[in-house]
Amino acid sequence: MTVGEAGNAAMTMPDGGGDPDVGAGSPDPDISERHAVRSPRSPRWGRFTRRSAWPAWANAVAIVGVTAVTLTQLHPNLLFLGTTTAGGDTGAHVALPAFLKSHLLLHGQVTGWDPGWYDGFPLYSFYFPLPGLVTVLLNVFFSYDVAFKLVTVLGSLLLPVCAWAFGRLAGMRDPAPACLAAATLPFLFEPSFSIYGGNLLSTLAGEFSFSLSLSLSLLFLGVVASGLRTGRHRALAAVLLAATLLCHLIPALFAAVGAVVLLLLDADLPRAIGRSRRAVAAGHRWGGRVLWSVVAGVVGLGLCAWWLVPFGLGQAFTTNMGYTKVFGYPHLLFPGSFRWVLLLDAVGVVAMVARRSRIALFLLIMAALAAAAVILDPASKLYNVRILPFWFLCLYLLAGFAVAEVVAAVSRLARRRRLNLWVRDLRGRLAATDGRDWASGRRITPYRRPVPTAVAAGAVAGPLVALAAACLAVVPPLAVPASTLAKIGVHVGPDQPSAWASWNYSGYERKPDYPEFQAVIQMMRQVGAGQGCGRTMWEYDPSLNRFGTTESLMLLPYFTNGCVGSQEGLLFESASSTPFHFIVQDEVSPISSKAVVAVPDGAYGGLDVHLGIQHLQEMGVRYFLTSSTTVQQAAATDPAATLVGTSGPWATSYNGQSLDTTWKVYRIADSQLVVPLTNRPVVWSGVGASQTSWLPPAVAWFNSPSRWGVVPAADGPADWTRVPVGERHPAAVTEPKTTVSDVRQSDQSISFHVDRVGVPVEVRVSYFPNWQASGADGPYRVAPNLMVVVPTGHDVTLTYGRSTADILGQVLTLLAVAAVVALAVVDRRTRRTARRAGPLGTGPAR
């Protein structure tokens, strides 16, 4: 080999390629050893140690490292402890999958009627059922308490995996996917918000459905990016879109917008302009991508149509909480702990332009759209700060891209430098032989490849994970000033995820005041057994948090096997009777929450226990559970309240204040579930089905006991008087006296017997269109949000059945399932055909 030949061989060696052939003579032992490792006869484990496997190990370091750090802060020992999860909304969510398992699924339903809260409400009709179904599935392998805990952390643990998969499927080269996975760690521990969704604090507060949906949305976007490039995965994209939507609506909107942005970025407009062949071909390619997106999107929506169609058509019967828009955008979008991320994002933007990265541009566009939505979103049911997590997530991922590009650039420079040094050394040594035989010269030092670029991801993720573990587990005991840690985004103390997770997953059973909580539950069990099952209105007090959450008594139906219901519940928007409950709560609680903001002025009148008891009678509430002496003294003087149970006194403390609490439960007279009306109802004309139009006049009637003699209805038989809203009702039309007997209630039905037909009967159950009457006309919606039927026979049964929207959604879902199967079969046949045709279509691939 001449000097020129050797030099050319060195120069044409691929960047990062194998070692060069050093010529005649004894083979390099290092080369022989490496070739032996690559031999087909080498041990199976050899493929895991060769350099080609290092990128996979680097990715594993990032994913496993982030997951491990996150899991350690969630206390795995408590996750597998058989205690009832407490804390925030999570402590009330416990009841929902349990009811799904024990009632709805037994009826062949996923959505259905739950009589345990708010005079009854449609469970999972306006909330997201997939996490509940996953809980029921995991309950096959674990206890219910453990299964529920695992679902609450599932989304957070999947986020790094889904971020990595998004990068990989989108075509990003190593180490970018691993760096995206590593970037989810600071996002999970983002301290600037604690309820909007996505980060650990929000997840622990009750937004675990949002977290699971967010992870699935990233995976969906990765599949979309891959599908637009390859034309495959339509069925998978459709399934992931449906799963994302069935976990939470807001991340599903993020996924849908992201899919549109990816499609537009793939339009390749510069090439599609004009009439040249190149432009026509580009237009055809983009047309195919549009068709791919439409098919995947339509089929995905069809898969969840069984839930989505009733959800959309039933919005008129949901409650708008009236939360006001949050301003202070600089603080929302640019908290102090976020500055280092913005610096990395600036580097990422420069790298995006230099590398022409569409995925980095996608992240930047999505972050900008999220920020614009936070600022421009009008006050509506979509609370503007619920979009804030997407701003943070996209910028954290863009920071991960920036780190990947910096590492890749340094790695490329190091590789070029090493290759240049080797070539220079090779040429020098060949020139030194001065025409002598190659074997007689000194052996050339073999070229050794530098560490592959992808392996740098491990070097990035490793220190990042180690630093996070140190900050979260080691720094607090070192007593570093909290102000110093806050500057770098590390917050220690009671408002960190580790403390919240400990509070949640230790459960109700490990709270210091659990004996008091257990005694209250046991008292209500005994009252239900002795006095009969029924609903309970309980006095609200912030100190209830000492039991595990201020919502702890929402679990009365959970702990009493449905015998004793709770008038207050979770999922405020899901019930049309929610505003009326909180009006009563304000009347019977010295400190009330006033959770529903969107009520007419003056709806909250302050503490008035006697009026509150009257309202409880109107809503069919059997029991009144009290804890303060003020309320108990007022209830003791009301002839409609009879003391039927006592527990205490209990000496404890809350927020540094000593408490001496005695619990008393009163039986409310004249609070029957089914009551014949003395006077004929009137129909409000001009009031539509929407809760928005119904609520103001219904609240005005509800707060005026003098008007209760005549019940207003949204509709009714032709002989009922029509009265414009706001006008004085005409003289009451007296109905004949009738008797109601043999009242029976189940989770899906109410039945009773009347001795006279044709007399209106009020059923004190929250109205919803799915209720159907047998043996009576109706049901008709009446104030506040109850039902009235007109018996046409002596035996009447009301059943919660399927609406037209339910049937339509189920039919669409069946069609979508068939479409998914067809898409999967077509995609599989296409792949088989492509493999048989070979890479150039010249014959079978070999």
Side-chain angles (χ1 to χ4, degrees), residues 349-617:
V349 171
V350 174
M352 174 193 73
V353 175
R355 303 288 291 175
R356 298 182 180 180
S357 172
R358 289 189 177 183
I359 299 304
L361 178 59
F362 165 78
L363 294 173
L364 185 62
I365 292 174
M366 293 301 293
L369 292 176
V374 171
I375 297 171
L376 302 176
D377 176 50
S380 62
K381 287 187 177 182
L382 182 58
Y383 198 26
N384 71 317
V385 288
R386 296 304 302 272
I387 309 170
L388 194 62
F390 308 118
W391 158 262
F392 283 97
L393 177 63
C394 291
L395 290 188
Y396 273 115
L397 294 179
L398 185 59
F401 166 79
V403 172
E405 285 301 310
V406 170
V407 171
V410 172
S411 180
R412 285 193 296 269
L413 290 175
R415 178 180 287 120
R416 290 194 186 101
R417 180 176 180 276
R418 180 168 293 191
L419 180 60
N420 290 336
L421 290 175
W422 181 83
V423 170
R424 186 172 61 183
D425 181 60
L426 175 63
R427 287 176 173 173
R429 292 180 183 274
L430 288 174
T433 61
D434 195 20
R436 291 177 292 172
D437 184 69
W438 171 268
S440 63
R442 297 174 58 187
R443 187 164 63 89
I444 303 300
T445 303
Y447 170 75
R448 298 186 182 278
R449 288 179 296 169
V451 175
T453 305
V455 181
V460 172
L464 177 62
V465 170
L467 177 62
C471 291
L472 297 170
V474 179
V475 170
L478 296 181
V480 177
S483 59
T484 302
L485 295 176
K487 292 179 180 178
I488 61 172
V490 178
H491 292 253
V492 297
D495 288 329
Q496 62 174 340
S498 178
W500 282 29
S502 177
W503 175 265
N504 282 19
Y505 299 130
S506 60
Y508 288 96
E509 293 83 354
R510 292 201 172 187
K511 300 296 179 286
D513 292 304
Y514 178 68
E516 179 183 354
F517 178 69
Q518 188 179 35
V520 172
I521 296 298
Q522 183 60 29
M523 176 182 67
M524 295 309 299
R525 286 198 192 105
Q526 294 173 353
V527 167
Q531 300 288 327
C533 296
R535 305 165 185 150
T536 300
M537 180 73 200
W538 42 273
E539 179 187 341
Y540 177 83
D541 193 294
S543 68
L544 291 175
N545 194 55
R546 68 187 188 274
F547 293 153
T549 171
T550 55
E551 301 170 359
S552 53
L553 291 176
M554 293 180 185
L555 294 185
L556 279 171
Y558 176 77
F559 285 120
T560 63
N561 197 26
C563 178
V564 179
S566 167
Q567 194 64 7
E568 184 167 339
L570 202 59
L571 310 183
F572 298 158
E573 294 90 342
S574 294
S576 296
S577 54
T578 302
F580 304 98
H581 159 73
F582 283 103
I583 290 173
V584 179
Q585 185 209 75
D586 185 58
E587 295 168 344
V588 300
S589 305
I591 304 174
S592 62
S593 64
K594 299 182 177 67
V596 180
V597 180
V599 294
D601 294 338
Y604 294 119
L607 185 65
D608 188 341
V609 176
H610 296 293
L611 178 58
I613 289 176
Q614 288 180 290
H615 277 143
L616 295 181
Q617 291 175 312

Side-chain angles (χ1 to χ4, degrees), residues 3-157:
V3 174
E5 291 171 339
N8 290 335
M11 295 304 292
T12 56
M13 189 172 56
D15 187 20
D19 297 326
D21 184 359
V22 297
S26 300
D28 179 5
D30 294 334
I31 296 176
S32 301
E33 183 179 353
R34 283 194 296 275
H35 281 291
V37 171
R38 294 176 182 144
S39 170
R41 290 188 289 254
S42 61
R44 183 178 295 271
W45 54 264
R47 62 181 179 178
F48 297 109
T49 58
R50 66 181 60 161
R51 284 197 171 200
S52 60
W54 288 8
W57 285 110
N59 283 280
V61 167
I63 296 172
V64 175
V66 173
T67 305
V69 170
T70 303
L71 187 59
T72 57
Q73 298 304 298
L74 295 174
H75 304 285
N77 59 318
L78 297 179
L79 289 175
F80 290 92
L81 184 67
T83 54
T84 307
T85 306
D89 290 349
T90 310
H93 270 289
V94 173
L96 304 184
F99 189 84
L100 173 66
K101 174 188 175 183
S102 60
H103 292 81
L104 297 183
L105 291 179
L106 295 181
H107 296 295
Q109 300 173 333
V110 176
T111 64
W113 193 253
D114 183 350
W117 292 342
Y118 300 122
D119 282 0
F121 76 107
L123 177 59
Y124 287 128
S125 293
F126 302 108
Y127 200 67
F128 313 103
L130 187 55
L133 290 171
V134 176
T135 302
V136 174
L137 178 61
L138 289 179
N139 191 199
V140 176
F141 308 99
F142 305 96
S143 68
Y144 177 78
D145 291 326
V146 173
F148 179 79
K149 291 178 180 180
L150 293 178
V151 170
T152 63
V153 302
L154 183 60
S156 299
L157 297 180

Side-chain angles (χ1 to χ4, degrees), residues 325-334:
K325 185 176 179 179
V326 178
F327 294 92
Y329 304 123
H331 173 71
L332 286 175
L333 299 174
F334 307 104

